[in-house]
Amino acid sequence: MSEKEDLFLRAKHRTFSGLTEDAERTWTGPFCFIQAADPQLGLMKAWREGDCDGGGDEWAEEVELTKQTVEAVNRLRPRPRFMVLCGDLVHAMPGTPFREGQERDLKDALKGTDPSIPLVFVSGNHDLGNTPTPSTVEQYCGAWGDDYFSFWVGGVLCLVLNSQLFYDASACPQLKEAQETWLEAQLSKASSSSSSSSSTEPKPKHILVFQHIPLYLKSPDEEDDYFNLQKEVRRRLLDRFKRAGVKAVFSGHYHRNAGGRHDGLDMVVSSAIGCQLGDDPHGVRVVAVTADAVVHRYHSLEQLRERGVDEELRKLLQA
């Protein structure tokens, strides 16, 4: 098996850096990771032509931007512990033309990632369909790995969620129920280990959540929108996350930078590797994790390539 093939195998099975899960549960000092979103191969031309439903027959621009991302991330020092792509990996919906080609070309572009930087994939609405079905979820899992799961890295517990099941699970209610049950167990376990000195479970230094659709864009009280989760769902998740001690929720979907902070919980909305719907440059977010904080800065691909990690983050990682 080649290193490039192994990169995707390890990402799919969520094994990090050759260490055992027990070893990854132990805090060993500051580290960084890369949060990216929405390479969405095929959207740029479709957006320009105003045909986002039926367009998307070209994606060379997004492939090049993804390769630029990989090249910039590979050069970073200290090396990121992982890179997570928060959904909308491709633009073509399940079962539509161009889907197979877009997935193939994205995988080819990502295979240049240094094998020491595992890739974590998060499902988006274009990856599953706006109303996912058991079949589209199964197709996604076959191509990219599980649609929800947890992993530990450097003493930090990370939860990857399928936000489409929060948005519209009308065609797959059993899958929604399964994720809800799993999530409640994960949060309860993390909360009990954090609050009880007698717990046999390790206490996470931080708990982080990764999903495609943001809880909100600017305020927890904002109106429902295509780009956020509905108020009732949003408030319930916010309450559950805060009670469990979640530090930050990272998302994409908006193709612009946004987010806010509410009762100590960061809602981080990162713009896209691919098509921009606002004034932000193509880029990714560098996240520095210290014992006391999770600090993040959005970097344009040019900035990342030419200057590397933001000086403030670099100092945190050297502390």
Side-chain angles (χ1 to χ4, degrees):
M1 180 181 295
S2 71
E3 284 187 343
K4 291 182 178 179
E5 290 172 331
D6 184 53
L7 175 70
F8 287 97
L9 180 64
R10 289 187 293 110
K12 185 172 182 179
H13 290 279
R14 307 171 307 282
T15 301
F16 280 75
S17 64
L19 298 177
T20 65
E21 183 175 317
D22 286 343
E24 287 289 12
R25 291 173 182 240
T26 302
W27 175 254
T28 54
F31 65 89
C32 71
F33 67 87
I34 302 298
Q35 186 235 347
D38 301 276
Q40 203 160 343
L41 272 61
L43 177 59
M44 292 179 74
K45 180 184 177 185
W47 180 260
R48 283 196 300 268
E49 295 186 348
D51 184 17
C52 291
D53 293 329
D57 60 339
E58 294 180 11
W59 50 88
E61 292 172 285
E62 291 94 335
V63 168
E64 178 58 29
L65 288 164
T66 302
K67 288 181 177 179
Q68 290 176 18
T69 301
V70 167
E71 291 169 1
V73 169
N74 283 347
R75 287 201 294 265
L76 293 180
R77 299 294 184 274
R79 193 177 298 282
R81 289 298 308 275
F82 63 93
M83 178 163 66
V84 55
L85 279 75
C86 283
D88 278 3
L89 307 175
V90 299
H91 180 62
M93 292 284 191
T96 64
F98 316 124
R99 171 77 172 211
E100 182 178 350
Q102 290 175 6
E103 288 193 329
R104 179 196 62 237
D105 289 352
L106 179 60
K107 288 183 178 182
D108 285 345
L110 291 171
K111 281 180 180 176
T113 309
D114 190 289
S116 68
I117 307 174
L119 296 172
V120 179
F121 300 107
V122 180
S123 59
N125 59 302
H126 279 262
D127 304 312
L128 302 170
N130 287 320
T131 303
T133 68
S135 176
T136 64
V137 173
E138 181 180 9
Q139 290 169 14
Y140 170 85
C141 292
W144 301 101
D146 293 343
D147 57 321
Y148 61 89
F149 55 91
S150 65
F151 64 90
W152 287 80
V153 57
V156 174
L157 175 61
C158 299
L159 304 177
V160 173
L161 302 180
N162 178 347
S163 58
Q164 215 56 35
L165 296 179
F166 299 133
Y167 193 83
D168 182 3
S170 58
C172 55
Q174 291 180 324
L175 297 182
K176 176 184 179 181
E177 182 179 350
Q179 178 175 249
E180 291 281 357
T181 301
W182 174 86
L183 177 58
E184 188 57 39
Q186 292 286 317
L187 295 176
S188 295
K189 186 187 299 183
S191 179
S192 63
S193 66
S194 298
S195 60
S196 173
S197 59
S198 62
S199 173
T200 58
E201 292 291 330
K203 176 182 178 181
K205 183 63 68 172
H206 303 293
I207 305 171
L208 306 179
V209 170
F210 301 97
Q211 60 188 56
H212 180 60
I213 303 177
L215 299 172
Y216 60 86
L217 299 176
K218 295 181 180 179
S219 166
D221 298 322
E222 68 194 20
E223 295 302 313
D224 294 352
D225 186 88
Y226 172 79
F227 288 111
N228 61 20
L229 290 178
Q230 300 94 329
K231 276 186 179 180
E232 181 180 347
V233 175
R234 180 193 320 160
R235 289 169 178 166
R236 179 169 53 84
L237 285 172
L238 277 169
D239 181 62
R240 295 166 75 185
F241 290 163
K242 285 186 288 187
R243 281 190 285 109
V246 172
K247 190 78 170 184
V249 178
F250 293 90
S251 70
H253 190 49
Y254 192 44
H255 293 254
R256 287 152 284 198
N257 288 305
R261 185 174 176 84
H262 185 253
D263 289 347
L265 174 61
D266 275 345
M267 178 65 250
V268 185
V269 186
S270 292
S271 198
I273 289 177
C275 186
Q276 299 297 317
L277 303 186
D279 298 325
D280 296 300
H282 305 284
V284 299
R285 191 170 295 272
V286 180
V287 185
V289 182
T290 72
D292 301 318
V294 177
V295 184
H296 47 87
R297 296 287 183 273
Y298 187 81
H299 292 58
S300 71
L301 294 184
E302 180 181 7
Q303 175 188 359
L304 201 66
R305 181 174 61 250
E306 295 181 357
R307 299 193 296 277
V309 176
D310 178 272
E311 182 64 25
E312 178 189 359
L313 299 186
R314 191 179 297 115
K315 289 179 179 179
L316 289 174
L317 296 171
Q318 294 171 345

